[in-house]
Amino acid sequence: MSAEATNPVSAAEAAGPDAPSRRRARPRIDLRRLGRAALLGPTTRDRLPDAIGHVAEAHRAHHPDADLTVLRRAYVLAESSHRGQFRKSGEPYITHPLAVTLILAELGAETTTLTASLLHDTVEDTEVTLGQVREQFGDEVAYLVDGVTKLEKVDYGAAAEPETFRKMLVATGNDVRVMSIKLADRLHNMRTLGVMRPEKQARIAKVTRDVLIPLAERLGVQALKTELEDLVFAILHPEEYENTRALIAENTGAGDALATIAEHVSAVLREADIAAEVLVRPRHFVSVHRVRLKRGDLRGSDFGRLLVLVGEDADCYAVLGELHTCFTPVISEFKDFIAAPKFNLYQSLHTAVAAPDGAVAEVLIRTHQMHKVAEAGVVALGNPYVPAATGEGAAEPAEDGERADPTRPGWLSRLLDWQQATPDPDTFWTSLRADLAEDQEITVFHADGGTLGLPAGASCVDAAYARHGEAAHACLGARVNGRLATLSTVLNDGDTVQLLLAQDTASGPSPEWLEHARTPAARIAITAWLQTHPETAKAPAVAPRPPAPVTADRRSGARLLADLPGIAATAVRPAGCCTPVPPDEITGFQVRGGSVTVHRTGCTAVGTMKRLGREPVTVHWGDTAECRVTLVAESFGRPRLLADLTEVIAAAGVAVVSATVEPPTEQRVRHTYTLQLPDAAGLPALMRAMRDVAGVYDVSRARRPASQED
């Protein structure tokens, strides 16, 4: 869409000191000169028009063998259809699609994207139809042009924002190149925003800040994101922007400190025979502002970072080893985004080292390909729908007609899933902005392998829905790093999570889950379930009942005999701390009252008794297989749990002597059963059957302090 004149921020400042080196090497195109060239049109049919010569140069830098014929034809159509149209700044309108296309060409976009970029306003603003675009340039170009056109047709007023960005998200999900063009379009419009009224500048800047910049971050297009951040910063926070600009101007020699460290790093890597390119990478304005807020007074090395580029992944770790050997590493600054890439495809090693003079330099280590993706994100991945040279690797259309995009990041797939479950635009908008506001992500590991990317602060509830979708309604709890955890447990980067699901798929979440859900996917799924099951949401909280013993058959346990004169069989009893049953190896100790308490030989109480000088008594099992045992079932609370456990016990032919249910704590409940088994050999099978009951995560023999037996 039309954007307007010249922004108060100069072009050089808008690009920021952190702009990619290839963009710094190529001077900004003079729009007025470009406008004159555009008005002249093509001079011959055999050469590219002068107006897109710079686009061709940038494109060939990334794609030396690209066929530029289609770009020439696209420019001719765009220039002729936009002829007579002017931007508010006075330049011919064709300068806008040319500038957008140049942005994408510098990022390395492939020919199809550049062709669609040249034509992205023709269907909306001229007499050219989508059918004509399809006829002349094919289905792919027409699809992209149509996607961008649909986004541009909706007003960006406050009332229209929710539905606007729902459409934007859907279009992005079907082909990320649509959003690439949209981001480049917004960047050029932001560069030329100055003639608009201040209130309109502020409104557009806020939408850019709240939605488009986070989308650029998630698509990995850092080159666009950083410049957009600086442009928004200048409009919404002019005083802070001017202070930051002045600070950078006052520290023009700050790069010398980093340059000195860079030379030292280069020498270290040469000695180690590691081929690497070491660059000083200045920070852009917003980055400097954030660092100043975090650290206060800045040193010279704080105004930039070192970037080390190597050929292979293994070289990255070799560089890291040399740096940590020859310099003092700041361990807290180390992050490995190669082994665990970020959600936006970003890969790099981050570290920081201290120079001999105490200056700390942040260092980024990556391969050249990683750097290309770090700068351009999905734009650098090319056209996912074109077959590879071997004919393999092309993305096949889905059966329902939706395009299967192998470059689509996982977060985008998740957003597409939950937006379909949110018919209300306002709810969608709130959830989208909340999700985009999460600028930090953690990686957690499945217990059975694989990883999950979640926003920082996510809980086990979020992990359950990210892993299992609606099947997470039946989640009962989790183990985090091997330890039992409630669903409310907040996860940390690197945690290993095992989610425990009930076999009963009819069970569902409780309203309390919403208090622990951070991701839109979890919140929307839980809300939808509660709306379809209002009885769950409205059910009053029931105070836990006190433990209630249930008495049944009181037949005696297995027969125990002691090799001690004068001790009757009735005076020999199993210890409650380890509850021995046949055929456990056992030993006994005489206690107060003359009776003998029998322990399993591995019981900790045995060692305690011996240290106290108690002499062990030889004991053995009688000739009966019958035994009495106390089992403790640890489980997550749910309806019918007690009934299901007692049903399993009864099915095994075991009698319940007593049962106690403790009040639930943090969604967990403990059942204690004293059972009479007709044959001790059936105990292992019974315990396995009890563990298989939905919600039960452990069954063990009862253990009580030995002092209770004495």
Side-chain angles (χ1 to χ4, degrees):
M1 291 297 291
S2 59
E4 293 64 19
T6 307
N7 191 27
V9 184
S10 70
E13 292 172 354
D18 202 24
S21 58
R22 61 174 179 274
R23 293 169 58 196
R24 292 196 300 269
R26 182 178 293 107
R28 182 80 67 199
I29 297 299
D30 183 342
L31 289 180
R32 295 191 182 277
R33 181 183 63 79
L34 187 147
R36 290 194 297 271
L39 286 175
L40 295 175
T43 55
T44 71
R45 298 180 60 86
D46 300 326
R47 62 186 296 270
L48 285 170
D50 292 340
I52 58 169
H54 56 288
V55 174
E57 177 189 352
H59 188 37
R60 279 284 174 82
H62 294 278
H63 305 277
D65 300 326
D67 181 7
L68 302 180
T69 304
V70 66
L71 288 180
R72 177 189 181 282
R73 291 193 292 110
Y75 170 76
V76 170
L77 177 60
E79 190 279 328
S80 61
S81 59
H82 286 298
R83 188 173 297 167
Q85 297 178 352
F86 294 87
R87 309 185 82 215
K88 290 184 178 181
S89 56
E91 285 84 20
Y93 191 82
I94 187 61
T95 59
H96 172 63
L98 277 170
V100 172
T101 306
L102 176 60
I103 291 169
L104 293 169
E106 290 180 329
L107 290 174
E110 37 73 49
T111 308
T112 302
T113 303
L114 299 185
T115 303
S117 176
L118 282 169
L119 300 170
H120 78 270
D121 277 338
T122 54
V123 174
E124 179 184 2
D125 293 340
T126 75
E127 299 299 321
V128 176
T129 66
L130 189 63
Q132 289 174 312
V133 173
R134 180 177 291 105
E135 180 180 353
Q136 294 188 43
F137 299 97
D139 291 339
E140 289 293 335
V141 172
Y143 184 90
L144 298 178
V145 171
D146 185 45
V148 178
T149 301
K150 287 178 178 177
L151 298 182
E152 299 291 1
K153 283 185 176 180
V154 185
D155 177 39
Y156 279 82
E161 283 178 350
E163 192 57 32
T164 298
F165 289 104
R166 176 193 286 273
K167 292 179 179 179
M168 180 182 295
L169 182 65
V170 173
T172 301
N174 288 338
D175 195 322
V176 291
R177 293 175 294 175
V178 173
M179 182 53 65
S180 301
I181 297 172
K182 178 60 189 174
L183 288 172
D185 174 84
R186 175 52 64 95
L187 175 57
H188 183 243
N189 285 342
M190 288 292 296
R191 286 175 179 172
T192 57
L193 203 61
V195 297
M196 286 187 173
R197 298 187 307 275
E199 59 271 19
K200 190 170 184 180
Q201 290 187 41
R203 181 176 65 80
I204 293 176
K206 287 177 181 177
V207 173
T208 303
R209 177 197 63 192
D210 294 344
V211 177
L212 290 175
I213 287 176
L215 280 174
E217 167 75 12
R218 278 157 172 70
L219 292 175
V221 195
Q222 293 295 321
L224 300 187
K225 178 215 169 193
T226 53
E227 186 172 347
L228 284 171
E229 280 185 329
D230 284 347
L231 291 165
V232 168
F233 186 39
I235 293 172
L236 297 183
H237 305 283
E239 292 185 8
E240 290 90 338
Y241 175 82
E242 285 300 325
N243 291 338
T244 303
R245 188 173 66 83
L247 180 64
I248 293 174
E250 293 169 2
N251 291 272
T252 53
D256 296 340
L258 280 173
T260 301
I261 300 176
E263 291 177 2
H264 193 179
V265 169
S266 296
V268 166
L269 297 181
R270 280 195 303 271
E271 291 179 6
D273 198 25
I274 300 174
E277 183 179 2
V278 182
L279 305 172
V280 175
R281 187 174 176 84
R283 294 182 185 273
H284 64 108
F285 290 107
V286 171
S287 180
V288 171
H289 177 67
R290 289 170 179 163
V291 171
R292 182 172 60 173
L293 293 178
K294 178 180 178 182
R295 302 178 185 173
D297 294 336
L298 300 183
R299 301 183 59 170
S301 57
D302 292 327
F303 286 87
R305 292 180 288 190
L306 297 185
L307 174 63
V308 181
L309 299 177
V310 295
E312 303 292 339
D313 291 12
D315 295 336
C316 295
Y317 293 97
V319 169
L320 181 70
E322 291 297 326
L323 292 181
H324 283 193
T325 300
C326 300
F327 296 87
T328 302
V330 182
I331 301 301
S332 60
E333 296 292 329
F334 173 68
K335 294 180 182 178
D336 187 345
F337 294 118
I338 295 178
K342 293 180 71 174
F343 58 91
N344 58 4
L345 312 176
Y346 177 87
Q347 288 185 286
S348 189
L349 294 178
H350 289 203
T351 189
V353 295
D357 63 353
V360 174
E362 295 183 29
V363 186
L364 310 178
I365 309 168
R366 59 180 72 142
T367 67
H368 290 278
Q369 177 60 24
M370 290 176 190
H371 181 58
K372 181 179 179 181
V373 175
E375 288 295 306
V378 296
V379 178
L381 299 179
N383 184 351
Y385 308 106
V386 173
T390 60
E392 299 177 355
E396 297 293 335
E399 293 182 1
D400 59 1
E402 182 178 347
R403 300 149 69 82
D405 186 348
T407 70
R408 187 165 76 190
W411 68 267
L412 187 53
S413 297
R414 295 197 299 270
L415 288 184
L416 288 168
D417 289 340
W418 61 254
Q419 72 86 21
Q420 293 177 354
T422 315
D424 178 49
D426 291 330
T427 302
F428 166 77
W429 174 243
T430 302
S431 300
L432 173 62
R433 293 185 63 170
D435 185 81
L436 294 179
E438 300 292 346
D439 58 357
Q440 295 184 344
E441 184 170 275
I442 62 172
T443 300
V444 299
F445 298 87
H446 308 155
D448 55 352
T451 62
L452 282 177
L454 297 168
S459 67
C460 291
V461 171
D462 299 303
Y465 282 95
R467 179 85 161 93
H468 297 291
E470 291 188 357
H473 292 332
C475 192
L476 298 169
R479 290 184 184 273
V480 178
N481 301 324
R483 295 185 175 182
L484 191 68
T486 62
L487 290 176
S488 61
T489 301
V490 175
L491 299 171
N492 296 312
D493 195 35
D495 281 347
T496 298
V497 181
Q498 179 186 3
L499 299 164
L500 308 175
L501 302 183
Q503 296 177 350
D504 179 14
T505 57
S507 60
S510 67
E512 289 75 17
W513 287 21
L514 288 172
E515 299 175 8
H516 314 305
R518 190 176 183 90
T519 59
R523 296 188 62 82
I524 290 171
I526 295 168
T527 301
W529 194 92
L530 293 175
Q531 288 175 346
T532 57
H533 299 77
E535 68 283 357
T536 302
K538 297 178 181 179
V542 179
R545 292 179 295 178
V550 181
T551 305
D553 184 8
R554 293 185 176 276
R555 291 177 291 174
S556 61
R559 189 180 181 195
L560 283 164
L561 302 175
D563 295 341
L564 194 66
I567 298 296
T570 55
V572 183
R573 56 187 176 84
C577 57
C578 57
T579 60
V581 297
D584 292 341
E585 294 184 7
I586 52 177
T587 188
F589 293 92
Q590 195 166 12
V591 295
R592 290 188 296 271
S595 61
V596 173
T597 300
V598 178
H599 298 264
R600 283 187 278 170
T601 55
C603 179
T604 56
V606 172
T608 302
M609 291 288 192
K610 290 180 178 179
R611 285 194 299 272
L612 293 174
R614 301 283 186 91
E615 289 295 328
V617 175
T618 302
V619 292
H620 59 275
W621 297 107
D623 55 4
T624 177
E626 186 180 36
C627 71
R628 179 176 295 181
V629 64
T630 300
L631 299 179
V632 177
E634 304 276 357
S635 59
F636 296 101
R638 67 169 178 84
R640 288 189 51 80
L641 178 60
L642 178 61
D644 290 345
L645 278 169
T646 53
E647 182 178 347
V648 167
I649 294 171
V654 176
V656 179
V657 176
S658 66
T660 302
V661 181
E662 298 180 12
T665 303
E666 293 186 337
Q667 301 175 353
R668 286 178 280 182
V669 63
R670 174 179 296 182
H671 295 214
T672 303
Y673 299 91
T674 299
L675 307 173
Q676 190 78 24
L677 278 71
D679 189 340
L683 180 60
L686 172 63
M687 294 175 69
R688 285 194 299 270
M690 293 174 68
R691 289 192 186 102
D692 288 340
V693 173
V696 177
Y697 56 83
D698 196 17
V699 176
S700 60
R701 306 256 287 274
R703 294 179 181 272
R704 296 195 299 272
S707 60
Q708 294 184 15
E709 303 296 333
D710 297 339

